[in-house]
Amino acid sequence: DAGVTQSPTHLIKTRGQHVTLRCSPISGHKSVSWYQQVLGQGPQFIFQYYEKEERGRGNFPDRFSARQFPNYSSELNVNALLLGDSALYLCASSLEREGGVAYNEQFFGPGTRLTVL
Amino acid sequence: AQSVTQLGSHVSVSEGALVLLRCNYSSSVPPYLFWYVQYPNQGLQLLLKYTTGATLVKGINGFEAEFKKSETSFHLTKPSAHMSDAAEYFCAVSGGSRPGANSKLTFGKGITLSVRP
C-alpha cells in the first residue's frame, strides 16, 4: 500500500509570494495533519483536518490556511511568504477513530522542503 | 497542555555500546507517547509507541522504551548501537484517548545520535 505522499518535493519561492503544498493520505485514513519543521528543531503542529473539518490549529498566523477535500487529500496554503517560513513541511495521516476506538498513530510523508529567498 | 523535553541535543556512542536517549513529558491527561526517527532529508518514521497496557514497549530495529508515570519519562534504549542508527530522534506526546482528543503530536527538539566505529 502506498504511504503518505506529498508534492512537490522541493520548492523555492521569494518573499511575498504564495505557495500551495499538497498531501495525499494513506488509503482509508480520514485525518490529515500538517507540521512545520525548521532546521534543527522538532516539528511544530500547524493544522489537523478530520472528515473535511478543521480539528485543530497550532500557533501560526492567518497567512497559513488549509483545507481537506472529499477524497481526504489536503492542501496547505501560505500567503505573503517570509524568510522564516523556510522549513520542511510534513504531512501526516491517521485513522483517528473506527468503531469507537481511537487510533492515534500518525504516519508521515517525506515532506516538502520550502526555501524562501 | 502538553510538552516534551529532550535533554541534550547530541549523543555520541561507539558501535556496540548501549544507546540511551532521554525524554520527559508533561501532560494534564493520560498521554500517548511516541518515538520517531528521521534520517537526513527524509520524513519521520515511527520507532515505537505507548498507548495503554504494558509499560515496556518494543519497537523496530531493536529499540525499546519504558513508560514511567511517576517519573514522567519515556526514555529510548537499544542494547547495542549500529552504524545505521545514526539519525535524529524525536520524542512526541499526544492527548490519548480522552473524549474529543485528536492525534495532534507535540514534539521535543530532537536528539542527534552519532555512532563511532
Side-chain angles (χ1 to χ4, degrees):
Chain A
D1 287 341
V4 177
T5 59
Q6 293 186 244
S7 63
T9 304
H10 295 88
L11 204 51
I12 299 175
K13 293 285 188 177
T14 57
R15 282 178 296 174
Q17 285 189 310
H18 163 270
V19 68
T20 298
L21 311 181
R22 296 177 174 83
C23 171
S24 292
I26 292 172
S27 177
H29 285 192
K30 300 178 180 179
S31 175
V32 168
S33 298
W34 288 95
Y35 294 81
Q36 180 196 64
Q37 186 179 18
V38 174
L39 195 63
Q41 299 292 321
Q44 296 289 316
F45 173 74
I46 310 176
F47 285 109
Q48 184 183 39
Y49 278 78
Y50 177 64
E51 290 280 16
K52 302 179 286 295
E53 299 279 332
E54 184 181 299
R55 197 84 173 290
R57 173 186 283 254
N59 188 25
F60 281 81
D62 292 343
R63 298 185 296 107
F64 288 77
S65 63
R67 55 179 176 168
Q68 187 176 32
F69 299 99
N71 66 353
Y72 302 110
S73 67
S74 177
E75 282 183 355
L76 175 70
N77 295 282
V78 187
N79 293 323
L81 285 167
L82 303 174
L83 296 179
D85 295 331
S86 295
L88 180 68
Y89 288 84
L90 294 164
C91 173
S93 76
S94 60
L95 185 58
E96 286 302 291
R97 287 183 181 271
E98 188 170 83
V101 179
Y103 294 88
N104 279 25
E105 180 176 342
Q106 294 202 10
F107 296 82
F108 284 82
T112 293
R113 174 74 62 187
L114 172 64
T115 301
V116 182
L117 301 176
Chain B
Q2 297 169 313
S3 66
V4 171
T5 301
Q6 293 185 252
L7 291 177
S9 60
H10 186 227
V11 170
S12 181
V13 300
S14 297
E15 192 173 19
L18 171 71
V19 175
L20 170 60
L21 304 181
R22 298 180 186 275
C23 172
N24 289 89
Y25 70 91
S26 173
S27 178
S28 56
V29 297
Y32 284 1
L33 295 158
F34 306 83
W35 275 98
Y36 284 88
V37 62
Q38 186 176 37
Y39 297 99
N41 300 311
Q42 294 189 24
L44 300 173
Q45 180 183 8
L46 181 69
L47 279 176
L48 49 80
K49 62 181 178 182
Y50 168 78
T51 55
T52 58
T55 57
L56 181 62
V57 179
K58 296 186 183 299
I60 62 172
N61 301 337
F63 285 94
E64 63 181 38
E66 186 170 10
F67 170 62
K68 292 187 176 181
K69 183 178 179 181
S70 61
E71 298 178 9
T72 60
S73 69
F74 191 57
H75 303 329
L76 181 71
T77 60
K78 182 174 180 177
S80 176
H82 191 271
M83 296 297 290
S84 61
D85 295 327
E88 187 88 10
Y89 290 80
F90 294 96
C91 182
V93 62
S94 74
S97 62
R98 75 188 190 284
N102 60 35
S103 53
K104 162 198 164 184
L105 291 168
T106 299
F107 286 88
K109 292 186 176 181
I111 299 174
T112 301
L113 175 66
S114 300
V115 182
R116 303 184 301 270

